[in-house]
Amino acid sequence: MTEKNFFTKLPYLIFISILTFFFWYKGLESIGFTLFLVVCFFILIFFKNTIHIIPFLFNAMFMISQTEWDVNLIPLYIYATPVVMILGMVIHAIRFKVNLFRGKFMLGIALYGVAMIASTIVNTEVINLNTILLIFVAIFFVLLYGFFANTIQGDNQLYLIRVMVILGLLISFEVFAFYLQIYLNEGSQAVHFALEHKEIDLGWGISNFIATYLIMFIAAITYFVKKYKLHIFWIVLALFEISMLLFTLSRAGILAFLGTSVFLILYMFIKYDHKLALLLNLFLGVLVFAGIIYLTRSYFIIVIERFESRMLDDTGRIELWKEAIVIIKSNPVFGKGVFARAVAENELRMFHNTILHTLACFGAIGGLALVIQFISILRIFFYKFNQEKAILLIALIGANIHGMVDNVYLMPQYMILMFVIIAVVENAGKIDKLREELRVG
């Protein structure tokens, strides 16, 4: 079995996610996370192509089952993670002579890092541990993109989509298991109560965070709905994920998905020769979904009633946006720093809108960085545009639609996902360019 075959086999990827679910469900993330971290470290120092760490890295992000730690009780593996990963990346860069400062996205993310650092320095009267940490985070984001952009090799777009599909199912089963555990331990009424009060918490993320990643991963599964003639199988899986998205109770997430679904529908039917068969399978899938809703209608009724009663309630977001605008007007160049919305000293709060948050915290420099990032993404994705690039772009679009009303950008999991997606597409573009040059030559 070749290295490529071993690391890309579907059973191998599924097994990693089954392990992740087991560690998450049993609360054994200290073992699982440490194991995955060690595997990532050894892959980094022994393998030139870092695409092989992606299944372990991505799964680890959705393994932690609880984060209700006292400051003095934060597990050792949380502290060890950045140290071990950075050490592995440094060894990899030295051993394989990697230039970390190349990439079409580098200007945008580097300027964002500069904006974070400049804003932090301007708005800090006394240099302290928080200042140093924020500067470190800004530099780390830049180097993280540079690392993946220059160490992921070959065309791995299909491989990445496959990993994202499995992750979507992993998160969906975690949501299902969350409610199932409540049902088994406390009964149906306890599930009703959890739904009515939006109590979902998977440890690594609560309602809105879970929704962001489900939106991205539902987009990924749509790729296989179109790719394979057995539409119904993939449609049922997608509908299962959509139902779990509903059970996150994230109104912003649902609305973002509805916006994203327009792109997904266009994706499925544009340049597709079997539209009638796809429509029929979609209809059959909806019938199956309707049957499931009917059998579990008491739960879905609560979800629907919650959305009906609270859909127009902005939960204070409009006031937050007004507050952000006031800060932008008074601090237009550098912003007010990462703690712009702090209620107490050094309290990190966000403005629930990527653009307003960036402008309020990091000023016009940060805003310019976002514009450059957007242009860079278009350049990267639309070079030799294909089905794989389209679906990965839609995944990013979906997350950023959600980012207009929730905290998405700057969240560690999203940033890692974004960097890897961009790096994979960018490196696939290099392969396309090389092939084109060979044909011309």
Side-chain angles (χ1 to χ4, degrees):
M1 181 180 290
T2 66
E3 176 189 88
K4 182 177 180 182
N5 284 337
F6 176 76
F7 282 108
T8 57
K9 287 287 186 179
L10 189 61
Y12 165 79
L13 299 175
I14 293 174
F15 177 69
I16 293 172
S17 287
I18 289 174
L19 276 181
T20 301
F21 181 84
F22 173 79
F23 290 130
W24 171 84
Y25 186 75
K26 293 294 185 180
L28 299 174
E29 60 264 35
S30 59
I31 297 173
F33 204 93
T34 303
L35 174 64
F36 281 21
L37 184 61
V38 170
V39 172
C40 285
F41 179 76
F42 280 103
I43 290 175
L44 285 172
I45 64 176
F46 288 115
F47 292 85
K48 188 174 183 180
N49 189 354
T50 58
I51 192 66
H52 303 310
I53 75 166
I54 298 306
F56 295 99
L57 180 62
F58 280 11
N59 275 275
M61 296 191 304
F62 305 110
M63 183 189 291
I64 299 174
S65 63
Q66 66 92 20
T67 54
E68 298 297 325
W69 299 307
D70 181 89
V71 174
N72 299 318
L73 297 177
I74 295 177
L76 178 62
Y77 66 85
I78 296 295
Y79 291 113
T81 298
V83 176
V84 172
M85 289 299 294
I86 290 171
L87 179 61
M89 290 163 63
V90 169
I91 294 172
H92 182 98
I94 294 172
R95 182 181 179 192
F96 297 105
K97 299 179 175 62
V98 178
N99 181 350
L100 299 179
F101 298 97
R102 295 181 300 182
K104 294 181 179 179
F105 196 68
M106 180 57 72
L107 177 60
I109 193 61
L111 185 59
Y112 202 95
V114 168
M116 289 179 67
I117 293 171
S119 179
T120 299
I121 293 173
V122 168
N123 289 284
T124 302
E125 295 180 3
V126 179
I127 301 298
N128 54 29
L129 183 61
N130 280 327
T131 309
I132 296 170
L133 181 61
L134 289 170
I135 292 173
F136 170 79
V137 169
I139 295 172
F140 181 69
F141 277 156
V142 176
L143 294 180
L144 191 62
Y145 160 72
F147 181 80
F148 285 125
N150 293 286
T151 61
I152 290 178
Q153 300 175 341
D155 186 350
N156 298 284
Q157 293 172 115
L158 179 57
Y159 174 76
L160 179 59
I161 293 170
R162 189 176 295 145
V163 171
M164 290 171 67
V165 167
I166 297 170
L167 286 173
L169 292 172
L170 167 67
I171 294 175
S172 297
F173 277 112
E174 287 184 352
V175 174
F176 181 79
F178 173 83
Y179 288 110
L180 180 62
Q181 195 167 29
I182 294 174
Y183 176 81
L184 294 176
N185 292 336
E186 303 176 50
S188 180
Q189 290 303 313
V191 178
H192 291 173
F193 183 88
L195 290 170
E196 289 169 355
H197 294 83
K198 196 179 178 180
E199 291 190 342
I200 185 167
D201 184 350
L202 301 183
W204 57 262
I206 57 175
S207 170
N208 293 329
F209 298 141
I210 302 166
T212 298
Y213 307 116
L214 280 177
I215 291 168
M216 297 180 75
F217 299 150
I218 291 169
I221 208 169
T222 306
Y223 173 84
F224 290 105
V225 171
K226 182 174 183 177
K227 184 178 177 66
Y228 294 114
K229 291 183 179 179
L230 189 60
H231 304 299
I232 188 66
F233 173 76
W234 299 102
I235 289 170
V236 169
L237 291 183
L239 289 171
F240 170 63
E241 293 189 22
I242 292 170
S243 65
M244 293 302 101
L245 174 60
L246 290 174
F247 278 90
T248 65
L249 285 306
S250 171
R251 291 171 299 143
I254 300 299
L255 291 173
F257 176 71
L258 290 175
T260 308
S261 65
V262 175
F263 295 100
L264 294 175
I265 291 169
L266 290 173
Y267 168 83
M268 284 191 291
F269 286 96
I270 289 177
K271 293 185 178 180
Y272 190 63
D273 297 329
H274 308 286
K275 293 182 178 65
L276 185 60
L278 179 55
L279 275 171
L280 178 61
N281 280 273
L282 284 171
F283 177 73
L284 291 174
V286 170
L287 284 180
V288 172
F289 188 52
I292 294 172
I293 290 176
Y294 178 77
L295 293 174
T296 57
R297 56 190 178 277
S298 64
Y299 303 115
F300 277 95
I301 286 171
I302 295 172
V303 173
I304 293 169
E305 286 177 347
R306 181 179 174 85
F307 287 138
E308 285 180 345
S309 63
R310 305 195 182 192
M311 186 57 78
L312 297 179
D313 181 5
D314 70 359
T315 60
R317 282 177 172 80
I318 292 176
E319 291 303 315
L320 285 178
W321 299 339
K322 289 179 180 178
E323 181 184 339
I325 292 170
V326 170
I327 292 173
I328 293 165
K329 289 179 179 178
S330 60
N331 303 269
V333 180
F334 297 104
K336 199 178 175 181
V338 72
F339 299 113
R341 208 205 131 199
V343 177
E345 186 178 359
N346 295 333
E347 182 182 16
L348 182 59
R349 295 285 189 92
M350 304 188 79
F351 290 98
H352 290 264
N353 179 287
T354 299
I355 297 172
L356 291 177
H357 184 81
T358 293
L359 292 172
C361 293
F362 311 123
I365 302 174
L368 177 60
L370 280 184
V371 172
I372 293 173
Q373 287 180 28
F374 176 72
I375 295 171
S376 299
I377 286 174
L378 293 182
R379 287 181 59 215
I380 293 167
F381 278 81
F382 281 99
Y383 177 74
K384 298 291 182 181
F385 197 59
N386 57 25
Q387 299 286 339
E388 291 77 22
K389 290 178 182 178
I391 210 65
L392 291 170
L393 180 59
I394 291 172
L396 288 179
I397 289 172
N400 282 282
I401 291 174
H402 193 196
M404 293 301 99
V405 288
D406 264 321
N407 306 324
V408 174
Y409 196 90
L410 292 179
M411 294 295 102
Q413 289 148 319
Y414 172 73
M415 298 301 281
I416 293 172
L417 279 166
M418 179 180 72
F419 290 150
V420 170
I421 289 172
I422 293 171
V424 164
V425 173
E426 188 174 352
N427 281 282
K430 293 176 185 177
I431 301 297
D432 291 334
K433 187 176 182 179
L434 180 61
R435 288 170 181 163
E436 186 176 3
E437 290 173 349
L438 289 173
R439 281 197 299 269
V440 172

